[in-house]
Amino acid sequence: MKLNIAVLAGDGIGPEIIEQALKVTKAVCVKFGHELQYKHAITGACAIDKVGDPYPAATHQLCMDSDAVLFGAIGDPKFDNDPTAKVRPEQGLLRMRKQLGLYANLRPVETFESLLHKSPLRQDLVKGANFMCIRELTGGIYFGEKGRSEDGNMAYDNCVYHRDEIERILKLGFEYAMKRRKKLTVVDKANVLESSRLWRQIAQEMAPQYPEVETEYMFVDNAAMRIIQWPKSFDVMVTENMFGDILTDEASVITGSLGLLPSASIGLHTSVFEPIHGSYPQAAGKNIANPIATVLSAAMMFEYAFNLTDEGALIRKAVTASLEAGVVTEDIAGDGKSYKTSEVGDWLTDYVANN
Ligand code: IPM
Ligand code: MG
């Protein structure tokens, strides 16, 4: 098969982790006889520095012309600490999501047997936890009207959702639940927010079409608590944009490290595969960042964008083997022996080539 991908490394640790995912991707393509074609494009703070735009038209065009996008991370502290900056790296990511119509962000939360002891939670609570968080990605407070009063002393961000936006993401939630353990948790704040009440109303309208799915409704504050109290109670969780952003960072740490969780953003145009973590600027250029979330995002790319499940499975096997062999970066190694980002990437690449 011919794989035509766009590579957007972005900022901070982005280039280092993307390099490892690309090495592994190339090895998989060699192994399975696929022809890999890829092109790099700029996004984020580095694109602002170069061309004054965090998601330049040429980058968007490349994404549109590709079969899949492998994305690193964006963000830079020089913007975080300047609330008055007019152009921000994150706008690049948000525009990419919007322009590619990526309305669903799939974030699987899985635990690894060999890392259970790294979880801040008790092992018996995390062992076997495995759920899919489906985060709505192109609506809500992220994209609603925002602004300031003339004197600058009042600010607002509107949370807006239309019926069709809610229906399509809930449909995906029900369909995923059907493919999994048939339980769907709709997370909202329907006791306070009107937009949440519309979500809940539509979910209740749709639920009878999926009689085999057990649908539960949960307020987001309660869900935040349940994720650490009883993560195994979740199968598929579906929620709006910002709730999903927050809950998945929380969920990631129960697996032992934020550096482990991949994601797939799917929708109308080319799908994007990216780790759920950010650009971790403190680690940039030090060759210490954990590449696994990005490598697992490449696995999701094979599976979701190309329907190549054996290829994805081999990457997953390599990752599990590396964790069992203790070939891990310092976020996981703690006081034990740690490996550099590139060493973990090399190990995974060799594993793929030889297994
Ligand atoms: C994520 C990130 C982004 C988000 C930021 C970088 C804009 O936190 O992908 O989860 O909030 O969506
Ligand atoms: Mg986030």
Side-chain angles (χ1 to χ4, degrees):
M1 190 173 191
K2 204 164 161 181
L3 279 60
N4 179 17
I5 70 174
V7 180
L8 275 52
D11 306 317
I13 57 168
E16 297 157 61
I17 53 177
I18 278 287
E19 196 184 319
Q20 313 317 314
L22 254 186
K23 284 197 295 210
V24 173
T25 300
K26 283 181 198 164
V28 169
C29 286
V30 169
K31 171 119 195 162
F32 288 86
H34 301 304
E35 186 187 331
L36 177 69
Q37 272 182 9
Y38 65 93
K39 284 202 185 109
H40 289 274
I42 52 170
T43 182
C46 64
I48 298 179
D49 291 343
K50 275 204 187 109
V51 299
D53 181 347
Y55 187 56
T59 299
H60 178 60
Q61 195 55 51
L62 178 69
C63 292
M64 289 296 285
D65 293 342
S66 304
D67 302 326
V69 178
L70 197 54
F71 191 94
I74 57 166
D76 191 297
K78 76 180 176 211
F79 295 95
D80 295 344
N81 301 328
D82 176 11
T84 62
K86 287 270 174 297
V87 191
R88 319 185 65 83
E90 288 78 6
Q91 289 164 346
L93 182 57
L94 300 186
R95 268 182 30 223
M96 179 181 74
R97 290 171 178 171
K98 196 72 171 179
Q99 286 175 232
L100 293 175
L102 306 173
Y103 62 83
N105 185 216
L106 310 175
R107 299 189 159 183
V109 180
E110 279 173 51
T111 48
F112 295 93
E113 195 71 32
S114 57
L115 292 184
L116 289 178
H117 64 289
K118 293 287 174 191
S119 175
L121 298 189
R122 278 199 338 254
Q123 290 193 34
D124 60 307
L125 290 178
V126 265
K127 191 173 160 53
N130 180 328
F131 63 93
M132 174 69 89
C133 181
I134 302 184
R135 166 187 176 193
E136 201 290 328
L137 204 57
T138 50
I141 199 166
Y142 273 57
F143 291 94
E145 193 189 329
K146 54 184 86 247
R148 291 261 186 131
S149 60
E150 252 170 51
D151 67 3
N153 290 326
M154 187 275 285
Y156 59 93
D157 298 272
N158 287 348
C159 181
V160 181
Y161 270 109
H162 294 270
R163 172 175 279 273
D164 54 342
E165 293 173 310
I166 302 171
E167 276 173 356
R168 66 183 176 185
I169 191 84
L170 287 175
K171 181 166 181 285
L172 208 65
F174 282 112
E175 285 169 0
Y176 263 88
M178 283 299 287
K179 283 191 257 175
R180 294 176 46 110
R181 300 191 303 275
K182 300 194 170 55
K183 182 172 176 193
L184 180 68
T185 307
V186 181
V187 175
D188 62 29
K189 187 75 186 172
N191 51 348
V192 178
L193 302 177
E194 198 54 41
S195 52
S196 283
R197 284 193 276 272
L198 182 58
W199 272 71
R200 197 173 278 218
Q201 179 193 326
I202 294 174
Q204 284 168 348
E205 286 168 17
M206 291 172 75
Q209 295 165 35
Y210 304 89
E212 286 172 56
V213 177
E214 179 199 338
T215 308
E216 70 175 355
Y217 301 91
M218 197 178 284
F219 297 142
V220 62
D221 44 354
N222 187 19
M225 187 179 76
R226 277 271 289 275
I227 284 175
I228 50 168
Q229 210 175 30
W230 191 20
K232 275 183 265 193
S233 69
F234 295 108
D235 176 19
V236 177
M237 176 189 287
V238 62
T239 190
E240 66 92 54
N241 203 343
M242 189 156 80
F243 296 161
D245 177 47
I246 298 169
L247 292 180
T248 49
D249 262 29
E250 184 197 9
S252 73
V253 298
I254 71 174
T255 67
S257 169
L258 178 62
L260 294 170
L261 284 207
S263 83
S265 300
I266 61 173
L268 308 179
H269 304 292
T270 319
S271 301
V272 174
F273 300 86
E274 56 169 316
I276 85 153
H277 60 68
S279 59
Y280 191 15
Q282 305 85 334
K286 294 191 181 150
N287 203 14
I288 56 170
N290 192 340
I292 296 227
T294 318
V295 170
L296 287 174
S297 300
M300 290 186 90
M301 175 180 80
F302 279 102
E303 292 160 349
Y304 286 76
F306 301 107
N307 211 5
L308 297 172
T309 47
D310 290 347
E311 288 78 344
L314 179 57
I315 297 180
R316 290 174 195 286
K317 212 172 134 205
V319 166
T320 305
S322 73
L323 298 175
E324 276 165 11
V327 183
V328 293
T329 42
E330 63 179 38
D331 53 308
I332 293 177
D335 296 333
K337 173 163 173 48
S338 68
Y339 289 75
K340 296 289 179 195
T341 309
S342 56
E343 290 172 332
V344 174
D346 290 340
W347 197 96
L348 294 169
T349 307
D350 285 348
Y351 187 97
V352 164
N354 298 312
N355 281 276

